[in-house]
């Protein structure tokens, strides 16, 4: 009895893990950066990524951990940053991503100093990349997340070449909307030191806080795609993309 129950619990846990996930590594200018290993203690881990504890989604657009997932902590002496020139391409790699309905969004935030001591929820974030409904209708069309899955569970974004140098977070977020009126947010953050001679910074209309940027009254957040057969528009939540 006990063994059977334990096995069932294990199997259920495995399915839960398999059905969710996050960014496991990055590739920038040919260099691979391993992400934080969730489900493991942060003690002894070294990564450019902030801590995130499980593959489970955040399900409330006002969750206090929406900026960099739960718990988003700095790894202290193990916390690294990748030094990369503005204009670089950043490839993020997820686990075997199971969801193909929903947008992909990529944000950055200026830490105004050392990112290692920054609190993600107090920063001002700007969007550098997004992909929502690419073709077709809401329930059966091709979404950003479908492209991510088709592309080896990866997403490539370009850091605006004009961005002023400094320490920044990059935040990759998948918003899975395959469950009716129950959004699932999957954000992960990594630390970058941007170099170059740019001087551009996004103005106020591009800047948002997490939580703060999204709400359950956003048409792209609280949505039942299966009730919108034939509808071919989707409003990606958050601010407009800052082009640099
Ligand atoms: C596919 O993704 C893995 C990381 O998940 C990476 O190591 C591998 O190089 C990628 N393959 C290609 C062809 O890009
Ligand atoms: C599609 O467009 C209509 C009309 O502008 C709007 O009311 C609706 O919220 C949009 N749907 C989505 C999912 O963004």
């Amino acid at each position: 009895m006990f063994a059977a129950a334990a096995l069932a619990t294990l199997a259920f846990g495995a399915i839960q893990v398999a059905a969710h996930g996050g960014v496991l590594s990055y590739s920038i200018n040919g260099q691979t950066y391993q992400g934080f290993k969730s489900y493991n203690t942060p003690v002894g881990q070294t990564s450019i990524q902030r801590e995130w504890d499980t593959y489970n989604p955040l399900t409330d657009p006002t969750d206090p951990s929406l900026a960099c997932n739960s718990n988003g902590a700095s790894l202290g002496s193990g916390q690294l940053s990748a030094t990369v020139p503005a204009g670089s391409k950043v490839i993020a790699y997820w686990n075997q991503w199971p969801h193909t309905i929903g947008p992909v969004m990529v944000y950055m935030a200026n830490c105004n100093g050392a990112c290692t001591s920054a609190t993600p929820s107090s920063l001002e974030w700007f969007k550098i990349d997004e992909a929502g409904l690419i073709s077709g209708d809401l329930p059966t069309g091709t979404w950003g997340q479908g492209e991510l899955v088709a592309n080896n569970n990866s997403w490539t974004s370009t850091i605006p070449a004009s961005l002023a140098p400094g320490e920044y977070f990059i935040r990759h977020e998948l918003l899975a909307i395959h469950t009716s009126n129950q959004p699932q947010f999957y954000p992960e953050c990594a630390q970058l030191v941007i170099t170059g001679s740019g001087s551009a910074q996004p103005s106020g209309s591009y800047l948002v806080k997490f939580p703060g940027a999204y709400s359950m009254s956003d048409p792209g957040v609280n949505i039942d795609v299966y009730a919108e057969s034939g509808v071919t528009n989707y409003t990606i939540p958050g601010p407009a993309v800052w082009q640099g």
Side-chain angles (χ1 to χ4, degrees), residues 24-25 32 91 93-96 151-154:
L24 303 189
S25 68
T32 299
I91 310 173
Y93 293 96
W94 279 258
N95 56 304
Q96 201 72 40
N151 198 13
N152 189 27
N153 303 300
S154 74

Side-chain angles (χ1 to χ4, degrees), residues 200-243:
Q201 288 282 354
S203 60
S205 62
Y206 291 99
L207 300 172
V208 295
K209 295 229 165 142
F210 289 114
Y214 306 153
S215 94
M216 275 308 264
S217 52
D218 292 344
V221 169
N222 186 10
I223 185 170
D224 176 0
V225 295
Y226 310 105
E228 308 241 26
S229 195
V231 174
T232 56
N233 68 296
Y234 172 76
T235 310
I236 301 172
V241 171
W242 183 66
Q243 305 288 353

Side-chain angles (χ1 to χ4, degrees), residues 50-189:
R50 283 293 188 97
E51 179 177 348
W52 55 291
D53 289 337
T54 81
Y55 280 17
N56 294 331
L58 305 172
T59 55
D60 180 344
T62 64
D63 191 298
S65 298
L66 195 64
C68 291
N69 210 333
S70 181
N71 66 19
S74 166
L75 303 180
S77 59
Q79 185 66 55
L80 306 178
S81 299
T83 299
V84 300
S88 296
K89 285 188 179 355
V90 176
I91 310 173
Y93 293 96
W94 279 258
N95 56 304
Q96 201 72 40
W97 189 254
H99 308 301
T100 55
I101 299 179
V104 179
M105 297 175 278
V106 185
Y107 291 84
M108 293 182 73
N110 190 336
C111 292
N112 299 309
C115 283
T116 297
S117 53
T119 303
S121 60
S122 62
L123 299 178
E124 297 192 295
W125 297 86
F126 55 98
K127 202 186 257 170
I128 62 162
D129 192 14
E130 66 180 12
L133 182 64
I134 292 163
S135 63
D137 73 351
L138 292 174
T140 66
T142 298
W143 290 83
Q145 278 175 51
E147 288 215 328
L148 181 153
V149 169
N151 198 13
N152 189 27
N153 303 300
S154 74
W155 194 260
T156 303
S157 314
T158 302
I159 296 168
S162 62
L163 183 64
E167 296 203 25
Y168 291 84
F169 277 107
I170 188 165
R171 173 183 183 274
H172 289 83
E173 179 179 42
L174 305 182
L175 166 52
I177 49 173
H178 56 279
T179 303
S180 304
N181 304 112
Q182 182 51 77
Q184 301 182 357
F185 301 90
Y186 298 89
E188 281 83 36
C189 296

